[in-house]
Amino acid sequence: MMQLMQFTIPVYRTMWRRDYMILFDNWRIKYVGELLARQYDNLSRTLLVKGVPDGWDWTMMVQTGEYFDVIALAPMEEGVGVVLTEEQLSLDGYYSMQLVGTLKDDGVTKRHTNVLQVSVGQSASPARPPPPETRRTLGCRFVTPSSCRGPTRRTP
């Protein structure tokens, strides 16, 4: 007689999501991996920063081409990070990233890491990208560097 095995199927967000790590060491960051994601991947990639010290709030400054964005990172089991959405991955190519810590004690003291580059691979997409004023990535509306006054979070 054949014995049936029972399986527990995880929720889709954890079943298919893959974590890509950035390692933090003494205010330097290093990306571990090759391709961060493919353009328009949705809820299947987590950007995770491991090794960050306690007592800081964390944001990631991101630039691709002429577009700039700042996103807040949330505490996760092994560090801080964000689950990426298709809106956040709407552009293919190289993304420059810099981690910024704001000291929780005073909310003013900031410290920056080095800048690193990660790759987002191209997917089949419309012949032309959406206009810059509607294009979104990593949770915030992009602003051009000339109109940006520092790493201020822009809301849609």
Side-chain angles (χ1 to χ4, degrees), residues 92-109:
D92 67 289
Y94 288 100
Y95 285 51
S96 296
M97 297 184 161
Q98 184 175 31
L99 187 64
V100 179
T102 303
L103 192 60
K104 287 182 182 181
D105 288 344
D106 64 15
V108 177
T109 304

Side-chain angles (χ1 to χ4, degrees), residues 25-38:
D25 182 33
N26 194 26
W27 295 96
R28 291 199 47 82
I29 53 175
K30 177 182 177 185
Y31 180 67
V32 178
E34 294 177 19
L35 192 69
L36 174 66
R38 294 266 180 216

Side-chain angles (χ1 to χ4, degrees), residues 56-102:
W56 298 81
D57 289 321
W58 299 98
T59 57
M60 185 71 75
M61 294 194 303
V62 180
Q63 184 171 1
T64 182
E66 64 185 38
Y67 300 103
F68 179 80
D69 193 13
V70 177
I71 61 166
L73 302 179
M76 295 187 144
E77 189 174 318
E78 298 181 45
V80 294
V82 62
V83 177
L84 301 171
T85 66
E86 63 187 320
E87 291 85 14
Q88 296 169 323
L89 297 168
S90 63
L91 300 172
D92 67 289
Y94 288 100
Y95 285 51
S96 296
M97 297 184 161
Q98 184 175 31
L99 187 64
V100 179
T102 303

Side-chain angles (χ1 to χ4, degrees), residues 14-29:
T14 57
M15 180 177 174
W16 299 108
R17 188 174 70 217
R18 182 159 181 193
D19 295 340
Y20 286 86
M21 291 185 292
I22 293 177
L23 301 177
F24 177 99
D25 182 33
N26 194 26
W27 295 96
R28 291 199 47 82
I29 53 175

